[in-house]
Amino acid sequence: MACGVLLLAGCAEFDDSAGEQSWRPAPQLTPEAGPQPDLPEVDRREIPQGPDTSREPVPPPDGCTDYDKAVLATCLDTVSAVTALPTDGSTITALAGERRSGRVLRVGTDGDQEEIATLDVTAGGDGGLTALTLSPSYAEDRLVYAYVTTDTDNRVVRFAEGRPAKPVLTGIPKGESGNGGALLATDGDTLLVATGDAGDPAAARDAGSLAGKVLRIDTSGAPAEGNPTPDSPVYASGVHSPGGLCADEEGSRTWVTDRGTGRDAVYRVDEGGTLSTPAWTWPDRPGVTGCADWGDVLVVAMADAANVQNLPLNRDGSVGGEPQVTMDGEQGPDYGRYGSLATVTSDIAVAGTANKDGGEPVSSDDRVVLIVRQPASGSGPD
């Protein structure tokens, strides 16, 4: 999925006092489904994503065996990072990262579950391995970028299967909290990096600190050309604890989710605009993590609320109403806490669970699962 390059006129700031939209109990409505592409190697009618009660109940997991057709991998540990791999037309594959161990595994609808790398991480607090994204030139260089916490800092590294990781951007402040990060590859060989505030909200407003920022760098870690301040990677300020970065298919809009002080929020980054007003806020702090933009819906995964919430989008990209809650055991299955989510196609996402980190794990947790958009009626495709 194409991702757009952000071209802001100046260094923007997140204003935690701005924005009046907030979460309230979702109305009982379902956004219209987009095109329903064939899901490689998976019979979409057997994936228990919607509220269709005509399907046979899915048996509970038996050890690491999970009978849910949407489950790609089982018995992992706190999947805090996922990214989809290019499909060959017959299977869906993804990379999944474990926050505490630093393991990166390739998983897929073909049943493959293979460790391809182990990154050196320090997982105290909310740190460790918290984000993965493919190189903008992945087809040529086969490189993967990761956001990790070390003994001394938070940093961006890159690696390839069978080769050790190399530092790309180091020196991002580390604290007792606020160590998680988010990554998004964009067009033009650039990366967006959302950094936590390392437990110091003031650092997010400090133009001289890499903490609490959205950074824009090239693939070697240098400030990207066209940044608001030449020779600075800082692109926007005011992030506290980022959960995810995502963009729509055309690259016309980009989003960052953030667990702020007193509320969770999602911000839209507009070309030439600022990040002063949240697109939506959740005063109940459900624990926003990864996101996916499906054109007329912005999908946001939740850790503490243990569900997925779908924000309807107007044609101009603004939020058009309250979020529809799904994947909570009533509207779709209940996978528990979500640690990550990333786009696969315009109506499919891949997500990792984090039930071993504060949840109630079942025998097959933690898992990597597919989130498949359903038709408006809630029933599966014919």
Side-chain angles (χ1 to χ4, degrees):
M1 183 171 286
C3 303
V5 179
L6 312 180
L7 297 175
L8 300 184
C11 185
E13 293 189 358
F14 293 105
D15 182 356
D16 285 339
S17 64
E20 297 299 328
Q21 292 180 308
S22 62
W23 183 90
R24 297 182 295 277
Q28 296 301 310
L29 46 90
T30 303
E32 294 184 3
Q36 300 288 316
D38 292 335
L39 182 60
E41 296 296 309
V42 175
D43 187 340
R44 294 173 68 103
R45 293 169 296 181
E46 296 183 8
I47 297 179
Q49 298 287 330
D52 183 6
T53 58
S54 65
R55 296 188 180 96
E56 290 294 323
V58 177
D62 180 8
C64 291
T65 300
D66 201 305
Y67 300 99
D68 188 332
K69 298 294 185 181
V71 174
L72 302 186
T74 63
C75 288
L76 303 181
D77 182 19
T78 308
V79 183
S80 55
V82 289
T83 189
L85 290 166
T87 179
D88 60 7
S90 62
T91 60
I92 287 177
T93 55
L95 297 181
E98 295 178 329
R99 182 177 72 82
R100 291 179 287 212
S101 72
R103 289 200 311 158
V104 180
L105 300 99
R106 181 170 52 240
V107 303
T109 52
D110 57 1
D112 183 31
Q113 185 169 320
E114 179 184 4
E115 182 178 332
I116 67 164
T118 298
L119 307 178
D120 291 330
V121 301
T122 299
D126 56 0
L129 168 57
T130 56
L132 292 168
T133 193
L134 303 185
S135 163
S137 305
Y138 180 79
E140 292 78 36
D141 58 32
R142 316 303 288 182
L143 291 174
V144 182
Y145 288 77
Y147 193 91
V148 300
T149 307
T150 72
D151 289 336
T152 59
D153 65 0
N154 292 295
R155 60 178 57 186
V156 179
V157 301
R158 66 185 179 198
F159 65 94
E161 183 175 357
R163 288 188 276 168
K166 296 183 178 180
V168 174
L169 179 65
T170 62
I172 301 169
K174 172 188 174 183
E176 294 185 359
S177 63
N179 295 303
L183 296 172
L184 180 67
T186 69
D187 292 338
D189 292 332
T190 60
L191 300 173
L192 293 180
V193 184
T195 69
D197 64 13
D200 179 11
R205 301 186 295 271
D206 181 357
S209 174
L210 297 181
K213 304 294 189 295
V214 175
L215 310 176
R216 183 168 174 267
I217 60 175
D218 64 24
T219 53
S220 67
E225 184 177 351
N227 278 0
T229 301
D231 301 324
S232 172
V234 175
Y235 204 69
S237 301
V239 186
H240 296 288
S241 182
L245 283 163
C246 60
D248 70 330
E249 188 171 17
E250 292 77 23
S252 62
R253 56 182 179 246
T254 300
W255 310 87
V256 60
T257 64
D258 188 34
R259 297 180 292 274
T261 54
R263 69 184 184 183
D264 290 354
V266 59
Y267 296 87
R268 179 179 170 181
V269 181
D270 289 311
E271 182 177 343
T274 66
L275 301 175
S276 60
T277 303
W280 193 263
T281 63
W282 292 267
D284 59 339
R285 303 181 68 182
V288 293
T289 61
C291 59
D293 187 326
W294 284 348
D296 61 343
V297 151
L298 179 66
V299 183
V300 183
M302 306 293 176
D304 297 333
N307 58 35
V308 173
Q309 299 192 19
N310 305 285
L311 288 163
L313 298 177
N314 297 318
R315 290 193 177 185
D316 63 359
S318 61
V319 174
E322 297 174 351
Q324 176 208 9
V325 176
T326 60
M327 312 307 290
D328 61 350
E330 296 183 6
Q331 296 293 319
D334 180 4
Y335 294 119
R337 294 170 58 87
Y338 288 93
S340 53
L341 183 141
T343 301
V344 177
T345 71
S346 61
D347 67 350
I348 302 171
V350 61
T353 68
N355 293 310
K356 290 181 179 177
D357 191 3
E360 298 179 359
V362 300
S363 67
S364 60
D365 273 325
D366 272 310
R367 296 172 281 181
V368 179
V369 301
L370 290 177
I371 307 296
V372 180
R373 185 173 181 167
Q374 295 296 296
S377 65
S379 61
D382 295 332

